[in-house]
Amino acid sequence: MGISEDDISTEEVSIQKESAISPDQCFVCRDMTRSMMSYYSGRDSIGIIHWNNQLVFDTEVRLYDDDGNELFDTDGSSTRHNSFGDNGGSITIRGTPERGYSSVSVYASEADEVDLDQLSDVLCQDCLDEVCGFYEDEVNSGDEENISSTGYCLVDFEEKQLYTLSDPYRGYFIRDYRIRYDIEPETEEGRKIQIDIVYVPIRDV
């Protein structure tokens, strides 16, 4: 999706796309009002982006109010579910901020494969190059069955850094966060990506 023969070189796949916008119009690394990134920006938390809709979700591994102040007197957990149309996938987020833990289930359908042509109109060149790199890694991993996973991405709200949820990776240390994910066999709902996020800061002694 969004890939032509002119974009791909032979042997190992290499994809080049040119951004159609200036850096200050990027919905990820600039505080654009059309993006929820402007709302979450600067929070010490981890989010998920659904690329084809440019939707941004907080995993609620930590909880904040609308002014960006962290909330500590929270009990229990919460569950949020978001779906992306008849042919799209879905995200279910189960956050337990009092324990610094979040469990996220992503169901990726064929329609979720990232559309790089579409992203060239909303991402600056640096962010677009990064997402193209994630797509390259998935294709070059030798397992194109998981290509739908390229439609989702983790984002560090504080650093505005992107992390793929596709092959060949399965986890990260992002500052004080330990993240593991697994891509499970496809079902009627789509290909499931199960993500576990734990906040594990260095202990003060």
Side-chain angles (χ1 to χ4, degrees):
M1 183 179 293
I3 303 298
S4 67
E5 292 184 2
D6 293 336
D7 297 320
I8 302 176
S9 64
T10 57
E11 299 179 359
E12 188 166 280
V13 171
S14 177
I15 300 169
Q16 295 83 38
K17 288 287 184 180
E18 184 175 349
S19 173
I21 64 171
S22 61
D24 62 353
Q25 295 175 307
C26 180
F27 100 92
V28 169
C29 64
R30 295 294 185 268
D31 291 331
M32 302 299 295
T33 55
R34 69 172 183 267
S35 166
M36 285 299 290
M37 282 295 295
S38 62
Y39 177 75
Y40 295 125
S41 178
R43 296 188 183 187
D44 189 346
S45 189
I46 303 297
I48 295 179
I49 296 174
H50 182 258
W51 283 123
N52 291 342
N53 291 330
Q54 291 102 61
L55 295 175
V56 184
F57 306 93
D58 188 0
T59 62
E60 298 186 7
V61 64
R62 298 169 74 178
L63 196 62
Y64 291 83
D65 64 19
D66 290 340
D67 295 321
N69 301 307
E70 187 171 8
L71 303 175
F72 294 97
D73 54 345
T74 58
D75 295 324
S77 60
S78 64
T79 299
R80 289 191 296 127
H81 180 77
N82 303 273
S83 58
F84 308 113
D86 293 337
N87 298 318
S90 66
I91 295 177
T92 301
I93 298 171
R94 302 174 183 87
T96 310
E98 68 174 344
R99 294 187 178 276
Y101 174 72
S102 180
S103 174
V104 182
S105 299
V106 171
Y107 286 93
S109 75
E110 291 183 5
D112 291 318
E113 179 182 344
V114 64
D115 186 337
L116 296 174
D117 283 333
Q118 176 181 315
L119 289 188
S120 67
D121 292 327
V122 295
L123 293 181
C124 68
Q125 192 64 57
D126 286 346
C127 290
L128 183 60
D129 288 345
E130 196 155 14
V131 179
C132 286
F134 298 159
Y135 191 97
E136 291 173 8
D137 287 346
E138 174 61 48
V139 175
N140 291 326
S141 72
D143 185 7
E144 291 191 47
E145 289 186 356
N146 292 335
I147 199 68
S148 60
S149 65
T150 60
Y152 299 86
C153 180
L154 295 174
V155 57
D156 176 356
F157 287 137
E158 186 168 285
E159 301 290 340
K160 296 185 179 179
Q161 180 65 45
L162 304 175
Y163 298 85
T164 187
L165 284 171
S166 55
D167 289 323
Y169 313 100
R170 285 297 181 271
Y172 308 99
F173 265 115
I174 302 176
R175 296 184 294 105
D176 288 332
Y177 297 91
R178 181 74 171 95
I179 300 171
R180 294 291 300 172
Y181 67 92
D182 189 31
I183 303 177
E184 300 179 6
E186 190 167 7
T187 67
E188 292 183 358
E189 296 180 81
R191 191 168 296 277
K192 183 180 180 181
I193 309 172
Q194 181 59 43
I195 311 161
D196 294 302
I197 305 171
V198 184
Y199 177 55
V200 285
I202 296 174
R203 295 173 61 187
D204 292 328
V205 293

